[in-house]
Amino acid sequence: MAAQPEQIERYTAGEPAGVPLVPLVRRPMRSGDWLYLALQILLVAAVELTDDLAHALIPHANRAAGLANALRVSSFESAHGLWVEPGIQSYFAQSHHLLWLPLGWDQVSMVVNALYGQGHVLFTVSFAVWVFVRRPELFSFLRNIFLLTNSVAVLLYEIYPLAPPRLTMGLLYQQRPYHFLDSVFGGGGVKLGFNQYAAMPSVHVAWALIVGLTVAWAARPLAARLLGLAYPVLMTLAVIVSGNHYVLDALGA
């Protein structure tokens, strides 16, 4: 078989210094490979989607507990100096200038919504494809990590339902009532059927950590590694600014 552009070079374990590198040639991807990848992605997603479907059939079953737990989380954060989410959202809700360009809530919400919604799915699927094609030796391990993460998250959702900040009433910030802006759903609640009271832990942040740390470790270009390190930080900021998660949710991830 002729060497493909995708070939990488490696040393055989125990080779003495000076022995030429042995090229490892990967066979071209086949239709069956792509089908297998698609099924693995669906398998990972199905864990959380099953929970979403159950709560779509029984909406608001965990509402009372979720709202009560949200007030407990905000009180805990306030008592331990972690109640910074209102201040962060308030800062980005104000008008600023970036390189002499006006930057207001409309622009900020558009960016965080794109990262929270489309970016979360697009970057994770792109990461799965990259690992499957370029780092296949890591694929099974990372798939299992995603499966375990989603399974633990769903278990915690049922044990400890938690309303996101944007759905929580009765919050206080600096001794005054505070209500979060809802950048994703416009303040009208969730229109799609899924578990609305599943903020702890943040799967968005958990997935971003898996993706970002793997890229930072396994990618070769320095720019890609730096982007990998930045990705979970940006996702954490996005979930807080959008009113979808507390700081404890990110730490729980």
Side-chain angles (χ1 to χ4, degrees), residues 40-206:
Q40 297 305 298
I41 293 174
L42 288 175
L43 174 64
V44 171
V47 176
E48 189 174 2
L49 291 177
T50 300
D51 182 69
D52 291 338
L53 177 60
H55 284 277
L57 297 175
I58 312 175
H60 306 302
N62 53 355
R63 182 176 185 273
L67 292 173
N69 288 335
L71 294 177
R72 294 189 184 99
V73 166
S74 66
S75 297
F76 178 88
E77 289 191 352
S78 180
H80 292 82
L82 298 174
W83 185 228
V84 297
E85 297 90 320
I88 292 174
Q89 191 186 76
S90 296
Y91 174 82
F92 284 100
Q94 300 172 10
S95 297
H96 302 280
H97 284 80
L98 179 64
L99 298 177
W100 303 283
L101 295 176
L103 186 65
W105 177 246
D106 290 340
Q107 292 76 28
V108 170
S109 60
M110 180 177 62
V111 173
V112 298
N113 291 350
L115 184 57
Y116 180 84
Q118 297 89 342
H120 171 62
V121 175
L122 177 62
F123 294 153
T124 307
V125 171
S126 299
F127 168 77
V129 173
W130 174 73
V131 172
F132 191 72
V133 175
R134 304 296 298 178
R135 294 290 186 270
E137 69 278 5
L138 298 176
F139 183 80
S140 295
F141 172 73
L142 289 169
R143 177 205 57 203
N144 293 341
I145 292 295
F146 274 104
L147 281 172
L148 179 62
T149 298
N150 280 13
S151 299
V152 172
V154 168
L155 178 62
L156 290 174
Y157 294 162
E158 299 307 316
I159 295 176
Y160 194 80
L162 179 64
R166 60 183 175 79
L167 293 181
T168 305
M169 305 298 293
L171 296 173
L172 296 176
Y173 180 63
Q174 296 180 344
Q175 310 302 320
R176 297 179 181 178
Y178 186 89
H179 183 66
F180 280 84
L181 297 173
D182 188 343
S183 71
V184 179
F185 300 102
V190 181
K191 303 300 190 297
L192 302 176
F194 65 85
N195 190 353
Q196 299 184 42
Y197 305 100
M200 172 65 80
S202 169
V203 168
H204 281 71
V205 175

